[in-house]
Amino acid sequence: MTNTLEAPAPAAERSEDLKAPKQKRGADGIRTPGWLYVVMAVGLFLVVVPFIWMVVSSFKPEAEVRAIPPTWLPQDVTTENYDQLFTRLDFPTYFLNSAIVALAVTLGNVVFCSMLGYALAKLEFPGKRVLFALVLGTLMVPGVVTFVPLFVLTTNLGLTNTLPGMILPFLAGPFGVFLMRQYILGLPDELIQAARVDGAGELTIFARVIMPLCGPAVATLGVLTFLASWNNFLWPLVVATSEDKFTLPVALALYAVGQNATQYGLLLAGSVVVVIPVLVVFLLLQRFIMQGVAMTGIK
Amino acid sequence: MSRQARQPGIVDPTRRGQAVAGWILASPFVVLFLVFTAGPVLASLGMSFTDMRSTDMRTPFAVQFVGLDNYVDLVQDPLFRKVTLNTLLYLVLGVPLTMGIALAVAVGLNGLSRSRGFFRVGFYLPVVTSIVAVSVVWKYILRDEGGLLNAALGWVGIDGPAWLDSTTTALPSLVVMAAWRNFGTLMVIFLAGLQTVPREQVEAAEVDGASGWSRFRFITLPALRPVLLFGAVITGIGYLQFFEEAFVMTKGGPLDSTRSVTFFTFDQFGYGNYGYAAAASYLLFLAIVLLTFFQFRLLRTKD
Amino acid sequence: MNRTTITLVGLATAASLAFTACGRSDDAGAGGEEQGEAITDGKATGTIEVWAMGTEGEKLGDFVEDFEDANPDATVKVTAVPWESAHDKISTAIAAGEGPDVSLIGTTWMGEFAEAGGLMPTPEGLVDEADYFPGAWQSTEVGGTSYGVPWYVETRVLFYRKDLAKKAGWSDAPTSWDDLKQFAKDLESKGGAKYGLNLQPGQTGSWQSYLPFAWTDGATLTNEEGTEYTIDSPEMAQALDYYTSYFDDGLSMTRTLDPGELESGFADGTFGSFISGPWHTGLVEEAGLDESDYAVAPLPGKDEGMGTSFVGGGDLAVFQDSDNPESAWKFVQWLSEPEVQQDFYDEVGDLPAVQAAWESGELSTDPQLKIFGEQLGQAQSPPAVPTWEQVAASIDGLVEQASRGDLSGEDAVKQMQSDAQSIGTGL
């Protein structure tokens, strides 16, 4: 394929080369005003406070967590919540189950939704509009509705108490299709035309031309899907009938929430631990979200 | 869409190839979708036309077909009407607020030249913080006596109301909390979209002396249209279904002022009134369809 | 209409039409069934799958070793299930015909699951009804047939600050409604409490606070057979007026509490007294109180003596779909033996449902536990009907309105009756 189709170096780097060392520019190419930092910092602080409280409080004994008014720094620093978390619960098993399910669902969604999203955005084929309407329609159906029929279906397929039973219903998510379609709509048709003129087949165009440009969308979809799947509670709860198939949120609810009293300390410690993989995924993928799609040279 | 196909009399030579490729690309999704999504969705549609209860689950076909009775009962149910109003209010207040905050933060982030990653993660944290932690802190903020907000208002001489205990302020308080909690997701999506804004145009405009605001209005916003539509649609869909915040903070009170349609449906499923609950959720579905249709009309890209 | 729309409408219609072939037959789901056939003698065999929630679920696994020793051919497999969603899990299991052999079931869920055809009627002669606290046994009876047996119980009593009460001139707990009122007033004026008695002003679960007063006044929720609601009665209305008078007089707070607020408030003297169950002894002590600072007492009767309280807890039931019902019932029988009930109390802290288990050990000597034991002798449970959750929610909503002064006791009770009637019993 010709050189014009290789994406030029990310715009941020180019810009810095040309303009360094004088003015620092943001990703939008404009000089950053000083007041922007102040505003963002204040906003950030306000936003982050509950998270900090959650982490700090996971090191408090149960009685202090429940104290009204709530305390900030722990009066008694303790790791008892974390001790309980790792000793009472069979942590490695639950973590592994959650990881397998979340990764499978994320990968599946990224692949399948990109495929269909591209087809809906740039290709003409019979039944395209019905399909899009169906997809969009199911996006709008409240989840709680499908629950019971889905469970009966899962049982009939012999998938209860299996990890595939927790994965399959979520592999085809309408949200992902919608996201990829909207994103790909914004990519120029000329790229595809040029590739066709060069004799590339349709599927090759999808894999070699379009997908490399979808970095930000794929990263976004990946993060959001991972988050949703990792925190998914109700479905794994109902599907898993033996403890060795529980995922992390299910196990946490089991041990922390009793009939009459909730162990908030344990719940907070568990919430902190549950959040970490999501943050890791987010940190890993976020640079791709910001990856500039260079548009120059194409017009 | 291929421009060639629009010219009359000329059939796009790649049309066949496109059709084949289209279905190949679509097939994995379609199969999974039909089995695990479309099937159950249609089954519960059917359920909404019966008087099915949880106690009938073992003999699901031994229920009475009642036609539109469930729907008629719903429309006449004063509680259902109330929760519908609550939900609409939540939507009208919540979507602009959340989108506004997310867009402002995304644009702000995009304009920073350093520490972007740090800020990004920070702003995303509310989305991943457990609802338990969120609710404890926000209850503390909103408490009448000794709460942070009323304490701050007290410094400037305002006597703040009991935010979560009053039927007039409970719902708006939850809207603000929801906007705080959810803007991170939209922010991430808008950030991705901002990367498609043509930089040379922006830089050229700056050189020409255009102000930040007019750069935003005439270059950034139009380029963001598809992404904004997406953001509006998913936020609208999400907020029409709001549930979790009310469930954890106020349990639908006081006096059902924070009870949403989804909360109502959840309750009905809990009582075992499956047919009635399914009908309620399909009414919600209708509302969502209408809203989305309206939003598409408003913000559609010409394609 | 374009093709897309036509296709979609067609799909939807087809799906709905499939359901026109349905029809409900007239057999009753539950109730009116005979008790099961007596189980045979002999040891249990095979695998017995058990679901239990919360702490019970965690501890049961090890606890059953004695049963397995006595029944060498049997293995008990315990799966712990979170309380939060146990209800959904059990009901979907019943729907799909897939479930355990035995499960712990919340007392207020029995009606629904029995009606769904998920539970087996208790076999004749398995246990003697008279062995149990009457209120507990009531929770297993759906439409006149008993499904399962009570396992453990809890009931509500009056918790009060002994030290503040003394300061206010009360050396013993109040024993009548008038006394209780005065008690609360004195705790405020002389004891220094901000609220004399904490009652729940509506919202989820407030029926558990309000109904004891109604029952104490002699009100009943349904008729003898359990077929009709009898909520609209002068006793119900009077009890509700008495209940809401605490809010009117400022003796009770009108907003619902946050988690942890009750224990903290009790410990620092904001609340002089409140009504709750056995789990709160641990909570108030964790909040900083010593056993000598507070005491528990039975609920006061209307004019004198002991009032009627609410009894809840957990029942054990065997599932219709069980592959191993005989052994499952034997396991249930074993858990109901007085010594085993006592041992389980020692292990988990759940109060035994079998009365004989209270006759020795800590349950017969500890002064706090004795109060709970006393109260259990006079406690009721709500009707075990499938629609109870919904009826309870309507009661909660009306109690909330009455507590805020929006409705009089009489009007609220009338509305409760009409709501309950339209909801029906579900049987």
Side-chain angles (χ1 to χ4, degrees):
Chain A
M1 287 213 233
T2 63
N3 281 344
T4 49
L5 293 174
E6 280 165 33
E13 283 172 18
R14 271 173 59 240
S15 176
E16 236 106 60
D17 286 340
L18 293 175
K19 308 230 160 63
K22 276 177 280 189
Q23 298 136 341
K24 281 300 211 159
R25 288 173 172 266
D28 59 358
I30 306 298
R31 265 167 318 181
T32 309
W35 57 262
L36 187 59
Y37 277 104
V38 176
V39 169
M40 298 296 272
V42 170
L44 184 67
F45 176 72
L46 290 176
V47 161
V48 158
V49 156
F51 183 82
I52 297 179
W53 185 86
M54 174 173 93
V55 176
V56 164
S57 302
S58 65
F59 291 102
K60 297 178 189 162
E62 180 69 26
E64 194 185 334
V65 175
R66 305 168 120 256
I68 306 285
T71 59
W72 286 99
L73 291 176
Q75 283 157 5
D76 271 315
V77 178
T78 169
T79 55
E80 71 186 28
N81 296 320
Y82 289 96
D83 291 336
Q84 265 200 65
L85 188 64
F86 293 112
T87 52
R88 274 171 76 192
L89 281 71
D90 178 9
F91 200 77
T93 311
Y94 304 138
F95 188 85
L96 202 60
N97 289 339
S98 276
I100 294 174
V101 171
L103 283 172
V105 171
T106 305
L107 237 70
N109 263 281
V110 164
V111 171
F112 298 145
C113 296
S114 305
M115 288 163 68
L116 183 56
Y118 169 67
L120 289 175
K122 297 294 188 189
L123 294 179
E124 275 307 306
F125 57 95
K128 170 177 167 177
R129 295 180 68 175
V130 173
L131 192 52
F132 184 53
L134 265 184
V135 168
L136 210 54
T138 5
L139 188 61
M140 300 186 259
V141 171
V144 68
V145 157
T146 55
F147 207 73
V148 171
L150 191 58
F151 185 72
V152 175
L153 174 70
T154 312
T155 317
N156 288 329
L157 288 176
L159 290 173
T160 30
N161 209 35
T162 61
L163 289 183
M166 295 186 223
I167 296 172
L168 284 171
F170 301 98
L171 266 188
F175 176 82
V177 173
F178 191 33
L179 177 78
M180 296 307 292
R181 176 196 186 256
Q182 295 305 106
Y183 182 83
I184 293 175
L185 269 179
L187 297 177
D189 294 343
E190 293 80 5
L191 280 177
I192 305 175
Q193 297 295 59
R196 283 194 188 128
V197 164
D198 281 346
E202 292 296 334
L203 296 178
T204 323
I205 296 178
F206 167 69
R208 303 274 207 92
V209 178
I210 297 295
M211 280 316 286
L213 298 176
C214 288
V218 164
T220 306
L221 181 60
V223 168
L224 296 177
T225 311
F226 187 82
L227 174 67
S229 180
W230 184 262
N231 285 340
N232 196 8
F233 174 70
L234 210 50
W235 183 251
L237 168 86
V238 166
V239 167
T241 47
S242 66
E243 275 180 68
D244 60 332
K245 292 286 186 301
F246 281 0
T247 56
L248 214 41
V250 174
L252 192 59
L254 166 65
Y255 288 94
V257 183
Q259 185 181 23
N260 285 309
T262 309
Q263 292 189 265
Y264 283 96
L266 182 58
L267 205 54
L268 286 178
S271 305
V272 171
V273 170
V274 166
V275 137
I276 291 173
V278 179
L279 284 180
V280 166
V281 168
F282 185 73
L283 285 169
L284 286 175
L285 291 181
Q286 62 161 352
R287 74 183 70 153
F288 294 106
I289 298 178
M290 291 293 282
Q291 180 187 76
V293 177
M295 306 308 281
T296 54
I298 306 293
K299 297 250 183 287
Chain B
M1 231 197 302
S2 162
R3 252 188 250 130
Q4 288 163 313
R6 296 234 194 96
Q7 290 169 18
I10 297 181
V11 175
D12 183 350
T14 60
R15 224 182 150 90
R16 182 90 197 288
Q18 281 188 42
V20 170
W23 274 104
I24 294 179
L25 288 175
S27 46
F29 184 91
V30 169
V31 168
L32 285 168
F33 179 78
L34 284 176
V35 173
F36 288 103
T37 309
V41 165
L42 292 173
S44 51
L45 178 64
M47 202 157 74
S48 75
F49 296 119
T50 69
D51 63 353
M52 185 178 285
R53 300 199 69 247
S54 60
T55 44
D56 298 316
M57 282 314 290
R58 288 155 78 83
T59 51
F61 286 102
V63 297
Q64 199 79 330
F65 180 73
V66 295
L68 291 176
D69 280 0
N70 285 330
Y71 291 93
V72 171
D73 288 340
L74 274 174
V75 172
Q76 294 176 336
D77 185 343
L79 181 60
F80 187 74
R81 285 178 162 153
K82 181 165 189 151
V83 300
T84 304
L85 246 85
N86 290 344
T87 309
L88 288 175
L89 190 60
Y90 195 86
L91 177 79
V92 164
L93 293 176
V95 172
L97 184 64
T98 313
M99 281 185 73
I101 296 178
L103 191 57
V105 173
V107 170
L109 263 185
N110 211 33
L112 293 178
S113 55
R114 50 162 93 185
S115 315
R116 281 197 297 269
F118 174 74
F119 279 100
R120 259 197 319 264
V121 174
F123 284 117
Y124 194 62
L125 281 180
V127 178
V128 300
T129 310
S130 104
I131 188 71
V132 171
V134 168
S135 68
V136 172
V137 176
W138 272 87
K139 278 193 185 176
Y140 178 49
I141 293 174
L142 294 172
R143 192 191 302 281
D144 187 15
E145 301 162 31
L148 276 182
L149 182 58
N150 283 354
L153 288 176
W155 296 337
V156 289
I158 306 176
D159 183 21
W163 300 98
L164 289 177
D165 292 312
S166 153
T167 51
T168 42
T169 55
L171 190 65
S173 307
L174 288 186
V175 170
V176 172
M177 183 178 116
W180 171 90
R181 186 138 197 264
N182 294 312
F183 85 88
T185 308
L186 269 187
M187 174 197 80
V188 166
I189 293 172
F190 287 161
L191 267 176
L194 279 173
Q195 304 318 303
T196 64
V197 173
R199 282 185 65 149
E200 333 66 58
Q201 284 189 29
V202 176
E203 286 170 18
E206 190 200 6
V207 164
D208 284 346
S211 71
W213 175 248
S214 51
R215 286 197 306 264
F216 179 72
R217 241 191 101 197
F218 295 110
I219 304 174
T220 315
L221 266 190
L224 278 182
R225 248 176 159 205
V227 175
L228 282 178
L229 170 63
F230 178 70
V233 169
I234 58 161
T235 310
I237 292 176
Y239 281 5
L240 271 178
Q241 297 179 58
F242 94 89
F243 170 62
E244 205 180 41
E245 289 83 2
F247 185 70
V248 170
M249 295 286 279
T250 56
K251 283 275 184 303
L255 292 177
D256 296 325
S257 58
T258 55
R259 199 174 296 271
S260 62
V261 175
T262 303
F263 205 151
F264 176 90
T265 309
F266 174 80
D267 285 338
Q268 291 297 326
F269 264 108
Y271 304 147
N273 297 333
Y274 287 179
Y276 199 58
S281 33
Y282 274 96
L283 280 183
L284 182 61
F285 170 66
L286 238 90
I288 295 176
V289 167
L290 283 171
L291 175 72
T292 309
F293 183 69
F294 176 66
Q295 283 173 319
F296 260 91
R297 275 260 173 275
L298 205 63
L299 289 170
R300 199 208 317 249
T301 34
K302 310 145 208 45
D303 52 33
Chain C
M1 268 212 236
N2 64 33
R3 264 183 57 212
T4 316
T5 326
I6 295 178
T7 323
L8 292 171
V9 170
L11 277 173
T13 321
S16 353
L17 283 178
F19 274 84
T20 52
C22 303
R24 192 184 285 286
S25 68
D26 263 328
D27 343 339
E33 271 185 271
E34 309 230 307
Q35 298 300 151
E37 272 181 31
I39 57 173
T40 57
D41 287 328
K43 308 232 180 263
T45 56
T47 319
I48 306 173
E49 286 184 18
V50 181
W51 284 3
M53 293 104 215
T55 336
E56 291 80 21
E58 276 185 76
K59 302 277 174 84
L60 191 59
D62 292 325
F63 187 75
V64 301
E65 272 171 22
D66 288 340
F67 178 79
E68 286 176 326
D69 289 340
N71 297 275
D73 291 327
T75 331
V76 177
K77 215 181 115 202
V78 176
T79 304
V81 174
W83 264 117
E84 213 160 66
S85 335
H87 178 270
D88 294 332
K89 199 167 163 63
I90 295 176
S91 81
T92 34
I94 291 177
E98 284 247 334
D101 296 306
V102 179
S103 179
L104 165 61
I105 300 195
T107 53
T108 49
W109 301 346
M110 293 293 285
E112 179 189 344
F113 294 143
E115 175 67 16
L119 308 178
M120 279 179 72
T122 317
E124 288 282 350
L126 186 80
V127 292
D128 187 356
E129 186 182 326
D131 289 341
Y132 294 89
F133 291 108
W137 188 262
Q138 226 187 321
S139 69
T140 66
E141 292 195 307
V142 184
T145 314
S146 176
Y147 295 84
V149 304
W151 189 16
Y152 64 87
V153 291
E154 56 96 346
T155 188
R156 313 296 164 87
V157 299
L158 183 68
F159 283 67
Y160 65 98
R161 286 288 299 269
K162 237 174 17 186
D163 44 2
L164 298 183
K166 242 213 180 90
K167 225 163 76 168
W170 289 79
S171 52
D172 290 316
T175 52
S176 74
W177 280 13
D178 289 336
D179 278 355
L180 183 62
K181 206 41 145 354
Q182 192 59 46
F183 181 70
K185 289 201 176 117
D186 290 342
L187 279 172
E188 279 187 28
S189 57
K190 302 185 208 151
K194 193 151 180 223
Y195 295 100
L197 172 66
N198 183 65
L199 294 173
Q200 195 178 346
Q203 301 248 22
T204 323
S206 63
W207 59 273
Q208 295 172 14
S209 300
Y210 158 62
L211 285 184
F213 288 97
W215 287 326
T216 304
D217 202 3
T220 54
L221 291 174
T222 63
N223 59 5
E224 272 283 334
E225 302 79 39
T227 52
E228 302 249 330
Y229 287 105
T230 55
I231 297 178
D232 191 0
S233 67
E235 294 85 21
M236 281 291 277
Q238 278 165 30
L240 187 54
D241 283 329
Y242 177 72
Y243 189 84
T244 54
S245 69
Y246 280 85
F247 303 106
D248 297 333
D249 297 345
L251 295 166
S252 214
M253 203 158 55
T254 48
R255 69 166 175 84
T256 33
L257 297 173
D258 298 326
E261 213 179 332
L262 183 56
E263 303 80 76
S264 297
F266 190 60
D268 67 24
T270 315
F271 304 112
S273 61
F274 65 94
I275 297 177
S276 187
W279 62 87
H280 247 115
T281 56
L283 287 176
V284 302
E285 284 172 20
E286 263 179 43
L289 281 184
D290 194 67
E291 246 196 76
S292 57
D293 297 323
Y294 75 100
V296 294
L299 295 184
K302 192 167 181 203
D303 298 310
E304 53 167 24
M306 189 165 68
T308 311
S309 183
F310 164 77
V311 57
D315 297 336
L316 286 167
V318 171
F319 281 57
Q320 277 285 5
D321 297 313
S322 165
D323 309 316
N324 195 0
E326 285 258 334
S327 301
W329 283 116
K330 288 192 206 291
F331 179 64
V332 168
Q333 200 178 36
W334 176 75
L335 281 174
S336 312
E337 286 168 24
E339 304 89 60
V340 179
Q341 289 253 309
Q342 260 194 17
D343 289 339
F344 197 68
Y345 166 76
D346 291 331
E347 187 67 36
V348 178
D350 287 336
L351 302 180
V354 173
Q355 300 194 54
W358 289 74
E359 282 160 18
S360 59
E362 204 182 321
L363 291 161
S364 63
T365 52
D366 181 282
Q368 264 186 9
L369 289 172
K370 277 166 80 171
I371 302 286
F372 284 105
E374 249 185 82
Q375 185 70 73
L376 279 167
Q378 197 164 311
Q380 285 189 35
S381 66
V385 294
T387 52
W388 175 248
E389 291 273 337
Q390 200 170 355
V391 174
S394 129
I395 294 179
D396 284 336
L398 290 160
V399 169
E400 188 183 3
Q401 287 184 54
S403 311
R404 285 177 172 246
D406 295 340
L407 274 184
S408 72
E410 209 186 309
D411 290 335
V413 164
K414 268 207 178 51
Q415 187 64 38
M416 285 180 203
Q417 172 75 21
S418 98
D419 282 350
Q421 265 178 312
S422 60
I423 294 170
T425 60
L427 284 174

